[in-house]
Amino acid sequence: MHGEYKVPGGKLVVVDLDVEGGVLRHVRVAGDFFLEPDEAIGAIDNALEGAPATTDATGLAARITAALPKDTVMFGLTAEGVAIAVRRALAQATEWGDYDWQLIHDQPQPPALHMALDEVITAEVAAGRRAPTLRVWEWDAPAVIIGSFQSLRNEVDAEGTARHGVTVVRRISGGGAMFAEPQSTITYSLAVPEALVSGLSFADSYAYLDDWVLGALGDMGIRAWYQPLNDIATEVGKVAGAAQKRMVGPDGGPGAVLHHVTMSYDIDAAKMLDVLRIGKEKLSDKGTKSAKKRVDPLRRQTGLPREEVIARMIGSFRDRYGLTRGAVTDAELARAEELVRTKFAHEEWTARVP
């Protein structure tokens, strides 16, 4: 069995192993990390040898930590990262490079249609009818997008959205409310087979699926990192928030994961505060006193036009994993438009949590 895991902000960990009699055998850990002293790598292998194959990542990491020589130094490597690589090997997880990735980047579309396309495309990936897909959104109107379980009246100022002509929609994933304007927001979705995140905890899957965009931002001179549970942050503030939805496959088999991210290229903070009800508890939780300081736009940090930031992000993904230009099929669009009529543009869905 073979498993790989790139430690967030670190290096690639590769594990090869067998399972015999319900325990790990012939464990070999490798990668492009740095580790001192030399004998530490053998200690890691030995710590994993004989471990029950049912041991979770926390238990595996504890075995590794207990076995490391005194004064061991890890750079780009963690005990937890090795443990996750082991769990991915046991789960027979796939890797990014195992797939032929498709890009969808269409003309501006209505907010409700974006919600529907996320559901339809992820369902198609789950059913095996579509390749894993990166979809970059373009908005035709400003919008507030609330999480699946959020209260509409608690999150949205109805008078503010009416005053500014802002459409309110509810997405299928959880998480918090986002404010998006066509030229001030960068939004993308990843629809990926469940096998890509096999062996990862829910939290670890966020970091794993965000890693490519951290690299893309780094290429633009921004040092960014994953901030649990679902933020991308920099030294001067948050730049993005992510959310996920899991879908089962046909007949309850392996499915797909929708991972979508909204990034602030620029932001009208005064308008955002006029359309969103941002509570004191949320601000306190983020350790800030003002909502205006919670999100730091990419425009200021990169000095690049929005279109160039998007082009560089797409180029970074293509360089890493390959990417072929694709499109929403006629059948997918028809299904999405039906969902707009019956669900995403309906008050029954938008106000399902009043």
Side-chain angles (χ1 to χ4, degrees):
M1 296 179 181
H2 178 87
E4 298 183 5
Y5 179 67
K6 184 180 180 300
V7 177
K11 299 294 186 176
L12 182 68
V13 182
V14 180
V15 176
D16 292 285
L17 57 84
D18 297 318
V19 175
E20 298 175 358
V23 300
L24 308 188
R25 294 298 183 196
H26 314 124
V27 182
R28 292 293 179 268
V29 176
D32 60 353
F33 49 79
F34 300 91
L35 178 65
E36 294 288 349
D38 282 350
E39 55 265 28
I41 190 67
I44 293 173
D45 292 343
N46 291 335
L48 295 170
E49 191 74 20
T54 56
T55 309
D56 63 14
T58 300
L60 293 171
R63 291 175 69 107
I64 294 168
T65 299
L68 288 173
K70 184 179 179 180
D71 300 325
T72 293
V73 177
M74 294 179 169
F75 186 72
L77 174 70
T78 64
E80 292 76 14
V82 176
I84 291 171
V86 171
R87 292 308 316 171
R88 285 179 58 75
L90 293 168
Q92 299 183 20
T94 55
E95 307 298 335
W96 294 84
D98 293 336
Y99 300 103
D100 295 323
W101 292 89
Q102 187 171 117
L103 169 69
I104 295 175
H105 189 192
D106 290 334
Q107 296 299 309
Q109 294 166 316
L113 184 58
H114 281 305
M115 304 302 110
L117 284 170
D118 262 359
E119 179 170 328
V120 170
I121 288 172
T122 307
E124 289 298 289
V125 173
R129 293 188 292 264
R130 162 174 282 280
T133 300
L134 168 65
R135 185 171 73 90
V136 180
W137 305 19
E138 296 292 348
W139 301 87
D140 76 351
V144 167
I145 310 96
I146 60 176
S148 181
F149 310 107
Q150 288 190 295
S151 163
L152 178 63
R153 70 167 67 100
N154 288 347
E155 298 297 329
V156 180
D157 187 310
E159 293 182 358
T161 55
R163 184 164 50 251
H164 295 291
V166 174
T167 301
V168 180
V169 291
R170 185 185 294 274
R171 62 181 183 266
I172 60 174
S173 63
M178 308 296 291
F179 174 52
E181 291 188 288
Q183 293 305 311
S184 299
T185 307
I186 298 172
T187 309
Y188 68 86
S189 302
L190 284 170
V192 307
E194 185 181 16
L196 184 63
V197 296
S198 292
L200 299 178
S201 68
F202 190 80
D204 288 333
S205 72
Y206 273 84
Y208 186 70
L209 294 176
D210 279 339
D211 188 68
W212 74 273
V213 82
L214 301 185
L217 292 172
D219 292 340
M220 289 181 267
I222 300 176
R223 190 177 76 84
W225 60 87
Y226 162 72
Q227 183 169 295
L229 172 63
N230 62 332
D231 288 346
I232 296 174
T234 71
E235 293 175 338
V236 291
K238 172 183 171 180
V239 295
Q244 286 188 7
K245 176 67 176 178
R246 308 292 174 107
M247 291 189 181
V248 298
D251 303 320
V257 178
L258 168 65
H259 180 90
H260 44 197
V261 175
T262 296
M263 312 179 75
S264 290
Y265 171 73
D266 202 353
I267 192 166
D268 185 332
K271 188 183 294 184
M272 180 182 74
L273 293 175
D274 211 22
V275 300
L276 293 180
R277 300 184 188 277
I278 300 178
K280 292 181 180 179
E281 292 83 1
K282 183 176 289 187
L283 296 180
S284 174
D285 180 59
K286 299 295 182 180
T288 58
K289 296 180 180 179
S290 169
K292 294 182 180 181
K293 297 179 181 178
R294 285 190 57 218
V295 182
D296 188 76
L298 293 173
R299 178 181 180 181
R300 181 169 68 84
Q301 292 200 56
T302 65
L304 297 171
R306 175 180 175 275
E307 293 73 17
E308 179 64 19
V309 173
I310 291 174
R312 293 195 185 194
M313 288 171 55
I314 292 172
S316 180
F317 192 103
R318 182 179 291 113
D319 290 344
R320 283 168 171 250
Y321 310 122
L323 193 60
T324 301
R325 188 65 184 246
V328 177
T329 68
D330 291 342
E332 289 169 342
L333 182 59
R335 176 60 180 147
E337 289 174 338
E338 178 65 17
L339 282 175
V340 170
R341 289 189 294 272
T342 60
K343 181 177 181 178
F344 291 105
H346 248 260
E347 184 71 11
E348 183 178 352
W349 168 258
T350 306
R352 77 185 188 105
V353 183

